[in-house]
Amino acid sequence: QVQLVESGGGSVQSGGSLRLSCAASGFSLDYYAIAWFRQAPGKGREGVSCINSSGTTTNYADSVKGRFSISRDNAKNTVYLQMNSLKPEDTAVYYCAVTYGGFYCSFNPTEYDYWGQGTQVTVSS
């Protein structure tokens, strides 16, 4: 059974850090591009960061550049999102998603095949 499970969310103060994990089971992440999306209350789903299948290309939303870092550990079948210098506007539910054969990666949610259930990140001022 294909499954993505996010973890690492929580509540932090502005300026703090969190590390999100997205663990895959039932399939290998080796040939998948992976993205992190987020959705704040009353807002649409927003692409935050993505990494291609080989790990050679990463993309970041302008709002998180220089603060967030995406990485993948294929041996652990897990993707990470390191979030530093968090701001209240980063508050959202964060989702990981994968798409097969991702030589590139994008922030178009319709391109992604499997999604996790989400993990809540709350940043207080």
Side-chain angles (χ1 to χ4, degrees), residues 1-5 22-27 29 77 96 114-117:
Q1 180 181 359
V2 171
Q3 195 171 16
L4 295 171
V5 178
C22 172
S25 60
F27 71 107
L29 283 175
N77 224 27
C96 63
Y114 303 112
W115 292 77
Q117 83 291 347

Side-chain angles (χ1 to χ4, degrees), residues 85-101:
S85 302
L86 283 162
K87 304 175 181 181
E89 50 263 44
D90 294 319
T91 295
V93 177
Y94 284 71
Y95 302 88
C96 63
V98 299
T99 180
Y100 183 76

Side-chain angles (χ1 to χ4, degrees), residues 36-106:
W36 287 94
F37 292 83
R38 67 186 180 186
Q39 188 163 18
K43 295 188 177 181
R45 193 161 292 190
E46 172 192 22
V48 175
S49 181
C50 64
I51 185 167
N52 69 344
S53 56
S54 63
T56 57
T57 298
T58 57
N59 290 319
Y60 297 92
D62 288 343
S63 58
V64 306
K65 279 181 182 176
R67 300 187 299 121
F68 289 12
S69 178
I70 190 170
S71 62
R72 61 190 298 158
D73 186 339
N74 287 353
K76 294 183 178 180
N77 224 27
T78 301
V79 177
Y80 304 97
L81 184 68
Q82 178 67 44
M83 306 187 296
N84 299 326
S85 302
L86 283 162
K87 304 175 181 181
E89 50 263 44
D90 294 319
T91 295
V93 177
Y94 284 71
Y95 302 88
C96 63
V98 299
T99 180
Y100 183 76
F103 184 76
Y104 299 100
C105 66
S106 80

